[in-house]
Amino acid sequence: MLKLVTKGPIVFRARVLGAVRQIPPGFVLTYGDVAILAGAPKAWRAVGNIMATCERVDVPCHRVVASGGRLGGYGGNVALKRALLVAEGLGVVGTRIRDWQHARWNPPVLAKARRAGNCGR
DNA sequence: GCATTGACTAGGG
DNA sequence: GCCCTAGCCAATG
């Protein structure tokens, strides 16, 4: 079923991790987008927190970037993050992603969620 | 249960 | 285009 975990206070984290895992290779999402997919559009702050404390390998954390196409952070290894993104075919210039709007993953559910009562951004 | 933290975002200078 | 400030949420100590 779609209901995963729901066992304890780690529900939100599980949803966030699940959303990140759905990001296909070669695409990226912003923390805000991940928050939307997780069901809490205003919890992007927490998303960053979760990512920082995330120790999982099955979650492509490197595909989560900041808004505007900036890389954001990666536990201090931003260079590694950039390398991973480049390895997936994404163009990275400095600390930003080239063709950002093209590399950004835009699933229908996300577009719909954004359209629902929000300026989009 | 309270205070602090954190891989953020949006707005203004 | 870059830097600073304010706001927000969840997890952790």
Side-chain angles (χ1 to χ4, degrees):
Chain A
M1 268 314 264
L2 308 179
K3 185 185 292 184
L4 28 103
V5 189
T6 67
K7 179 178 59 179
I10 340 180
V11 186
F12 187 72
R13 184 164 71 167
R15 286 187 75 83
V16 170
L17 295 180
V20 174
R21 267 195 305 190
Q22 293 177 51
I23 305 177
F27 288 89
V28 291
L29 275 185
T30 66
Y31 292 92
D33 292 339
V34 175
I36 293 176
L37 291 178
K42 295 200 285 188
W44 26 263
R45 217 22 159 125
V47 173
N49 222 13
I50 294 171
M51 287 298 164
T53 59
C54 175
E55 307 171 350
R56 282 215 135 150
V57 202
D58 24 314
V59 181
C61 308
H62 61 276
R63 289 181 198 148
V64 184
V65 298
S67 66
R70 291 177 299 192
L71 292 184
Y74 197 66
N77 294 338
V78 190
L80 175 62
K81 185 175 185 176
R82 178 171 53 181
L84 290 171
L85 292 176
V86 173
E88 292 190 355
L90 294 174
V92 181
V93 180
T95 57
R96 292 200 199 165
I97 298 178
R98 191 165 174 84
D99 294 333
W100 154 235
Q101 37 188 331
H102 202 72
R104 187 187 195 180
W105 187 41
N106 191 23
V109 50
L110 180 59
K112 189 175 182 179
R114 268 211 226 120
R115 208 188 248 180
N118 212 320
C119 38
R121 224 332 189 184

